[in-house]
Amino acid sequence: MAAALTGPEVTKALFGGVLDIDGAGHYPGLELLNFVLCCPDGILPGAEVAQVRISRRSHAFARRLVAADNELTETECSAVLLDVESRKAIVHLLRCVELAVPNAVKSKRWERTHFFPYTRSLVHWDARIRNKSFKYERRYLRGGGAFAFSVLRHDPDFERLAKIRAGFESLYPADAQGPLELLAATLIKHGPSDLEPVYDTLEKDSKVLNDDLDNLFRDGISSILSHQRVPEVQRIRAIMNWTGIWLVLLEAARSAQHVGKERAKIIVDCAGAHPQLRRASQKRLKDILSNIEEASIQQAESLEGKISSTQRNKIRGFFSGTAALCGLLNANKGRRHFTLKLEAIETLVLACGPQSERSFENFTTDWLGDRCGLIVGREAAGKSGLLKDFDATIFEENERQLAEQMRATGMLRVYSDATRMVSAEVTL
C-alpha cells in the first residue's frame, strides 16, 4: 500500500521548497529576511556553508500586546510600559506595522500576529504557547522563505551575489537609530530569543536548479536593492512582495513542466472592460490550479506514495493565497481572475532592472511578458499566440489601462505620444 505523503514532502521534490497554504502571502518574505538578518554566518553565506544557523527572536511580548492576549499580565506590562496611555499609543503604532495575512479574521491569536519588517528589530520568528510552554515553531514560516534564501546564497554569479549582500547591508544598517527601530529593539528584548544560534533543518533541503526561474528571483532582488534613491520602506515592501510573486510564478511554471505542458502564460485583465479577456484570465487560473494538482499527484507517485485531496488543496491554496495578497489576483475567494493591483505594479517596476527608467513597451513585453510570463499588451499576446483567438484591440485597451493606472500613481512618465517611460524612483 502506497504511503501517504504530506504536502511539504511533495512540494520540496516538485518545486524545490515547501509551499503550503499556512505559509502563503508575505510569510515567505518575512522568513527570508529572518535568514538574511539573523544568520551569524553573515549575510547570504556561500555554498561552502552546508547548513546555516539562525538566531531566532520571537517579539512575543509586543505581539501579545497588540493581539490583546488575555494571558498577558499587568505585571509583565508594567515592567516594560510606563502607564496605560503609553500602552495605548504603542499598541496603536504597532498595529500600523502589522503584517497582512491571508484569510484574516477580525480577531486572531497573537501567534498569527506578525510585524512587517520595516526595521532590523521588527524581524522575528514564528512562535507559540503550547501546554503553557513557549516554543519556536514553523507554523506560518513554513519554508518558502528558506527556499528563497537558498536560491540567493547559491548564486553562481558571484558579482550579482556580492551586490545583493551589499544591498541588504545598506537596507538594514546595523547602526540604525530611527525611532521605530529604537522602540522595536526595546520591545524585542522582552520576548524570548535564542541564547545560541540553532541549525536550520529545512533550508539545506532546498533544491536550487540555477535555471531561468531561479535567476529571475535573483535579478529581481538585485534590482530592488539597487534603487538607493527609493525609500527603504518601499524597497522592503517590494522584497516581501517579490518573494511571493516569484514563488507563484515558479509554482505555475514548474507544475506545467512536470505534467509535460508548456509554461502557462498568465493572462492579466487590467481593463475590466472585455468579458472575453476576463473569462480567459479566469480559465488560465483554473488551468494553473489544475496543473498544480496533477503535478502533485504525479510527484507523489514518483516518490512511491500518494497525496490526499486535503494536502493537494494546501498546495493549490499557497498559489491563490499568495497571488491574491501580493496583488496578482482580484480576490482570494469567489470568481477570481489575474490582475495587477498597485502593490504588484510597484514591485514589478522596482524588480525589472537597475535603471531608473525604461520604456513602457520594454516593460510590458520584455519584462512582464518574456521574463515573468504575465501577458498584458498586444505584442506580448502576439508572441504567446493569443491573437489567434483574440482581437488585438482587446490587448491594446488592456495595455492602455495599465498605462493609465501607472501614470496616475507616478510610475509612468509620458514625454510624448511615442515616448512613455516607466520610472522606478517614485515615492508612492
Side-chain angles (χ1 to χ4, degrees):
M1 184 176 178
L5 299 176
T6 64
E9 290 175 305
V10 171
T11 59
K12 281 193 289 185
L14 180 58
F15 303 118
V18 177
L19 305 184
D20 182 274
I21 190 172
D22 289 334
H26 287 142
Y27 290 130
L30 179 59
E31 185 180 7
L32 168 64
L33 290 176
N34 267 276
F35 277 92
V36 169
L37 299 175
C38 303
C39 177
D41 300 313
I43 293 179
L44 296 172
E48 68 277 1
V49 178
Q51 188 173 9
V52 298
R53 298 177 297 159
I54 185 170
S55 296
R56 300 167 300 182
R57 294 112 43 101
S58 68
H59 245 314
F61 173 78
R63 292 161 67 189
R64 293 170 67 196
L65 188 68
V66 170
D69 182 18
N70 292 329
E71 296 182 10
L72 184 64
T73 67
E74 287 301 321
T75 302
E76 291 176 284
C77 291
S78 61
V80 184
L81 306 171
L82 180 63
D83 51 30
V84 174
E85 293 304 315
S86 65
R87 175 175 179 168
K88 289 179 180 178
I90 290 174
V91 167
H92 179 74
L93 188 150
L94 291 176
R95 282 179 178 161
C96 293
V97 297
E98 271 193 80
L99 192 73
V101 297
N103 302 317
V105 294
K106 290 184 178 180
S107 176
K108 60 181 184 290
R109 293 177 59 84
W110 76 264
E111 293 96 333
R112 206 180 187 194
T113 298
H114 298 272
F115 301 130
F116 210 95
Y118 288 123
T119 73
R120 180 181 287 267
S121 292
L122 280 174
V123 175
H124 61 278
W125 195 253
D126 232 350
R128 69 183 301 185
I129 302 293
R130 187 191 290 272
N131 298 326
K132 298 185 177 181
S133 297
F134 174 88
K135 294 183 181 296
Y136 285 110
E137 192 171 301
R138 265 196 160 95
R139 190 176 183 185
Y140 300 111
L141 307 189
R142 297 300 302 274
F147 172 44
F149 177 79
S150 188
V151 169
L152 290 181
R153 79 180 188 95
H154 287 97
D155 190 353
D157 185 337
F158 297 119
E159 182 178 351
R160 179 172 57 193
L161 179 56
K163 289 180 180 178
I164 292 174
R165 285 171 174 157
F168 276 121
E169 288 177 354
S170 174
L171 187 61
Y172 287 101
D175 59 351
Q177 295 292 312
L180 182 58
E181 169 61 19
L182 291 174
L183 174 63
T186 300
L187 293 174
I188 204 167
K189 293 176 183 177
H190 294 275
S193 298
D194 281 328
L195 298 177
E196 296 290 338
V198 298
Y199 283 101
D200 185 73
T201 59
L202 190 57
E203 189 268 349
K204 63 183 178 64
D205 295 332
S206 299
K207 185 168 64 176
V208 180
L209 301 183
N210 290 323
D211 59 2
D212 62 329
L213 286 164
D214 286 355
N215 284 320
L216 174 67
F217 182 58
R218 294 160 177 161
D219 285 341
I221 291 291
S222 178
S223 173
I224 292 167
L225 293 170
S226 73
H227 291 291
Q228 294 292 313
R229 294 173 60 185
V230 171
E232 289 88 348
V233 167
Q234 194 174 337
R235 281 180 277 155
I236 292 167
R237 283 203 310 261
I239 287 169
M240 297 280 285
N241 228 37
W242 176 241
T243 303
I245 288 173
W246 170 70
L247 287 171
V248 164
L249 299 178
L250 178 142
E251 191 174 8
R254 289 189 177 167
S255 59
Q257 181 182 23
H258 192 82
V259 297
K261 298 179 181 178
E262 291 185 9
R263 178 179 176 181
K265 297 286 187 177
I266 294 175
I267 300 174
V268 181
D269 181 8
C270 297
H274 299 281
Q276 185 185 7
L277 186 63
R278 175 66 55 86
R279 288 193 298 268
S281 184
Q282 292 169 340
K283 184 179 185 302
R284 189 55 51 93
L285 173 61
K286 291 179 181 178
D287 291 343
I288 290 173
L289 293 176
S290 177
N291 288 343
I292 291 171
E293 182 161 14
E294 184 181 350
S296 300
I297 294 172
Q298 290 186 10
Q299 183 64 66
E301 291 174 348
S302 69
L303 296 173
E304 299 182 350
K306 61 180 181 179
I307 182 169
S308 67
S309 60
T310 299
Q311 294 296 312
R312 296 198 302 271
N313 287 338
K314 287 187 175 183
I315 301 173
R316 285 161 44 103
F318 177 89
F319 181 93
S320 55
T322 303
L325 198 59
C326 293
L328 290 182
L329 281 183
N330 65 310
N332 194 45
K333 296 181 179 180
R335 293 181 64 84
R336 298 169 298 176
H337 63 273
F338 290 106
T339 189
L340 287 179
K341 295 182 180 178
L342 178 59
E343 56 267 35
I345 296 172
E346 176 187 10
T347 297
L348 290 164
V349 168
L350 286 172
C352 74
Q355 59 268 57
S356 59
E357 285 189 330
R358 69 163 59 198
S359 73
F360 180 70
E361 291 71 23
N362 177 274
F363 174 74
T364 56
T365 303
D366 296 349
W367 171 244
L368 292 184
D370 294 345
R371 293 215 63 189
C372 298
L374 300 170
I375 307 302
V376 175
R378 174 175 180 165
E379 188 172 347
K383 285 186 176 182
S384 301
L386 292 172
L387 297 187
K388 297 175 183 177
D389 303 314
F390 291 86
D391 189 309
T393 58
I394 291 177
F395 285 98
E396 290 173 359
E397 175 60 28
N398 200 43
E399 192 172 41
R400 278 197 297 271
Q401 185 60 40
L402 175 62
E404 286 301 314
Q405 293 171 9
M406 294 177 66
R407 186 178 184 182
T409 55
M411 285 181 284
L412 184 70
R413 296 171 181 170
V414 179
Y415 296 103
S416 69
D417 291 342
T419 307
R420 297 177 296 177
M421 302 299 292
V422 173
S423 176
E425 296 179 356
V426 175
T427 302
L428 300 181

